[in-house]
Amino acid sequence: MRVLLDTNALLMPVQFGIDLYGELLGLFGDFEPVTLEEVVGELSGLARGGGRDAVAARVGLALARRSTIVPSGSSAESVDERVLEYARREGCVVVTNDRELRKALLREGTSVVSMRRRKTLDLIRG
């Protein structure tokens, strides 16, 4: 199963102490992690800054390198819109903690993995 990791998902390990890949293995067993090039670009920009967010972004970049990095194939303006279009086109589950993106994905029938009680990840079927 292809699982698309967005920017928020890749920040979770530092921000919330989530073992992202361990949690996903628990939910799906075997899975193929995928990250959009645009998400890597967003993390790279955050990593250049300072403070906790920059540390989280650097860890996120390391995690993104463990996935297949692909172009979105979209000309949408925002990274969230590109995630939405890619998920729709490829039929993959999306890991995100972004409330608005999660709502949009579920409206389109795309399953989402999101944090539950700031401790674990939960699959919400779309």
Side-chain angles (χ1 to χ4, degrees):
M1 162 171 300
R2 290 185 110 189
V3 177
L4 181 60
L5 307 172
D6 86 336
T7 305
N8 287 295
L10 291 163
L11 296 173
M12 280 187 223
V14 171
Q15 290 179 334
F16 301 102
I18 296 274
D19 174 6
L20 182 63
Y21 282 90
E23 288 284 329
L24 292 172
L25 277 171
L27 283 172
F28 299 114
D30 193 31
F31 70 97
E32 177 190 356
V34 177
T35 304
L36 298 182
E37 288 175 347
E38 294 87 346
V39 168
V40 172
E42 228 175 26
L43 288 170
S44 295
L46 288 170
R48 285 189 216 104
R52 189 168 167 86
D53 287 343
V55 171
R58 286 192 283 278
V59 171
L61 283 168
L63 290 172
R65 290 185 191 101
R66 292 177 52 191
S67 65
T68 303
I69 299 172
V70 297
S72 68
S74 170
S75 59
E77 287 191 29
S78 78
V79 174
D80 285 356
E81 289 171 354
R82 291 174 186 224
V83 166
L84 187 63
E85 286 182 23
Y86 184 87
R88 181 184 322 123
R89 187 175 64 246
E90 299 296 324
C92 54
V93 173
V94 177
V95 183
T96 185
N97 211 34
D98 181 292
R99 183 175 294 143
E100 293 305 314
L101 178 57
R102 182 175 57 228
K103 285 180 190 176
L105 289 161
L106 291 171
R107 273 194 305 270
E108 297 229 353
T110 299
S111 294
V112 175
V113 173
S114 194
M115 268 189 8
R116 181 179 55 178
R117 288 178 285 188
R118 295 180 163 252
K119 295 191 186 257
T120 61
L121 296 182
D122 192 27
L123 175 64
I124 305 165
R125 302 241 181 235

